[in-house]
Every structure is written in structure tokens, then in C-alpha cells.
Amino acid sequence: MRRMVVYTLLVLFALLCLVPIAWLAASAFKANADFHVYPVLPPVDRLTLANFTSLFTQMPFLRFMMNSFFVAGATVILQLFFSSLGGFALAKYDFAGKKTVMGVMLATMMIPGPVLLAPMYELIYHMGLIDSHLGLIVPGMVNVFGMFLFRQSMLSVPDEMLQAARIDGCNEFQIFWHVVMPVSRPIVGAFCLIAFMGTWNSFLWPQIILQSSDRFTLPIGLNQMIGVYEADYGAMMAGTLLAVLPVVALFFLLQKEFIAGLTKGAVKG
């Protein structure tokens, strides 16, 4: 009986979480004139694909999406490489100041991101990366949370495996790449999903440094639909629905690794 009550509550909570997605999907097929007339879903004969047509004919939606794919893909690859490399060093090597480095890393995770916007803008400005995709990618190349995540996961890799690889003639980078990374696959999948979602949905920093419309990412492009006197809500909802699909597809692709990675990270000290 107790288990049934728990399952019932979980199902209700899951359905509650799906309400915004269902509302978004319904709104994407509503005409702007019906937005305030039918709060949930209009009659079937009033559903329309005009919002999607408008999305592709009145704005460079595909360009925005390709820009987002490029920025998110490059950022995830660089973050994965540098964060895993840093985590490997912190997990498997002893060096002077290691505890201090860990303390500084944990301290930086507690600093709110908006506090760093002004100094980061000045740095990117002097590097000549304003209004460029490199200005989005370079500041995100190293993820402190990712380094901590990989460090916690790689602590569980037996040192005997590393010693055996050294005896076989592997150098330290070969040990990292051919021995440690393959057994860290669950945390790699989890980190890729987290890093992709963070970059794909990023709005504030791209809004600050991007000025040319042909370099806009998807969140910035969709925001352009909000005018001074009116907003194209239907096209915004259609665009948002399409913007969610890559994240959902990546989640189903990495679902097994994502769950295994989070579970592994939760039980390792």
C-alpha cells in the first residue's frame, strides 16, 4: 500500500513536470489571435502550421540553430578535454599546493556568474573577441565543476591499472586517454549532457557580446521576436519547441551514461 502511494505521487509529480512542455507544444500550433481566447488548446480546426512557416521564412532560424550547434559543440569538446585532464591530474598525482588548488576551485564555484561579467567582458574586449563565436567559446573552455566531477569519478580508478600501463610503456597522456577515459564513460556522458544544455541555453553572455545578427545563437535570435509594441508569440513558441528537440534527443542518446554517471558521482567520496 505504501509503495502504491509513493508510485502514485511520483506519477502525479511527473505529469506536473510535463505540463509546461504540453502547453508549449499546444501553443506552437495556435494562431496569435487565439492565444488569449483559448488558454490551453483551441479546436482542432483552428490549429495551424503558420508559426513554423513564419519561423523559416521571416527570420534566419536555420542560421541561428547552426550557430548554436557550432558554439555548443566546440564548447563541449573543449570542456570535456580540459576538464577531464584537470580532473585526472587532481585525482592521480600528488603535487605541492594540491589542497590549495582544490580549495580555490571549490571557492570559485560559489561565486555568482553575473559578478564576473564585467571583468570577463574587459578581458574578451582586449583579446579582440567581441562579436565573435570565439568570445563565447574561449571563456567556457574550462569548467571547474567538470574538473571536480571528473576528479571524483577518477578517484575510483585503481592505481594498479596505471602502474600496469606504465610498465607496458605508456606515457602519462596515453594512460589518461587509453586507460582512464574508457573506464570513465558514464561520467563523460553525464558531463557532455550537462555542458551541452548549459551552452545551448546560454542567453546573458551571448546577448552581451554578440552584435551582428548573422552570429546570433538560437536564444538571442528568438529574443528578437519581442518587439516594442507587439511580440510574435506563436513563432516564439514554435522556435522554442524546435530548440528543445536537440536537448531531448541528446538526453535519450546519453540517458544510460547520464544516470550511471550521476549515481556513480553520488556514492564516491
Side-chain angles (χ1 to χ4, degrees):
M1 181 65 184
R2 183 179 177 182
R3 179 175 296 183
M4 184 177 295
V5 172
V6 172
Y7 285 160
T8 303
L9 291 175
L10 289 175
V11 170
L12 289 176
F13 183 72
L15 292 175
L16 192 63
C17 291
L18 291 175
V19 168
I21 304 296
W23 185 84
L24 172 66
S27 300
F29 295 93
K30 281 195 294 189
N32 282 327
D34 293 335
F35 255 83
H36 302 292
V37 179
Y38 304 100
V40 182
L41 193 65
V44 176
D45 60 338
R46 295 193 64 84
L47 295 177
T48 176
L49 294 175
N51 295 325
F52 294 93
T53 305
S54 170
L55 204 61
F56 289 97
T57 57
Q58 298 185 14
M59 64 181 296
F61 183 79
L62 283 179
R63 178 181 290 275
F64 295 156
M65 183 165 275
M66 292 307 295
N67 288 342
S68 284
F69 269 119
F70 172 71
V71 173
T75 303
V76 170
I77 291 172
L78 291 171
Q79 281 191 5
L80 176 62
F81 179 73
F82 289 115
S83 299
S84 59
L85 207 56
F88 174 62
L90 290 171
K92 293 301 176 186
Y93 294 95
D94 289 323
F95 52 87
K98 180 177 175 179
K99 290 184 178 178
T100 304
V101 171
M102 282 295 300
V104 172
M105 284 175 53
L106 292 176
T108 59
M109 290 169 63
M110 299 174 189
I111 299 175
V115 174
L116 303 175
L117 288 177
M120 195 159 65
Y121 181 87
E122 185 174 2
L123 180 64
I124 293 298
Y125 173 79
H126 288 295
M127 293 174 68
L129 298 180
I130 296 295
D131 195 26
S132 72
H133 290 154
L134 279 179
L136 302 178
I137 295 170
V138 170
M141 287 172 59
V142 178
N143 187 313
V144 175
F145 171 73
M147 288 177 65
F148 184 74
L149 202 64
F150 277 105
R151 184 249 182 196
Q152 294 301 99
S153 173
M154 291 175 179
L155 283 174
S156 63
V157 179
D159 292 337
E160 290 77 9
M161 289 178 63
L162 278 62
Q163 293 295 344
R166 290 190 182 101
I167 293 172
D168 288 340
C170 292
N171 59 38
E172 298 306 307
F173 184 78
Q174 288 173 327
I175 293 173
F176 160 74
W177 191 254
H178 295 295
V179 177
V180 177
M181 287 301 282
V183 299
S184 303
R185 184 176 172 180
I187 207 68
V188 170
F191 178 75
C192 284
L193 184 57
I194 294 171
F196 183 84
M197 284 195 299
T199 309
W200 183 265
N201 296 324
S202 179
F203 175 78
L204 186 57
W205 181 243
Q207 175 76 355
I208 290 173
I209 74 162
L210 293 181
Q211 298 163 359
S212 304
S213 60
D214 61 339
R215 296 190 178 96
F216 283 173
T217 55
L218 205 47
I220 310 302
L222 291 176
N223 188 53
Q224 300 305 306
M225 295 180 181
I226 303 176
V228 178
Y229 301 107
E230 61 179 7
D232 190 348
Y233 292 114
M236 286 179 64
M237 296 302 163
T240 305
L241 182 64
L242 294 179
V244 169
L245 295 181
V247 178
V248 174
L250 188 63
F251 174 77
F252 283 112
L253 185 66
L254 299 174
Q255 180 180 207
K256 184 178 177 182
E257 286 79 8
F258 180 70
I259 295 173
L262 293 186
T263 306
K264 186 178 181 180
V267 299
K268 296 297 181 184

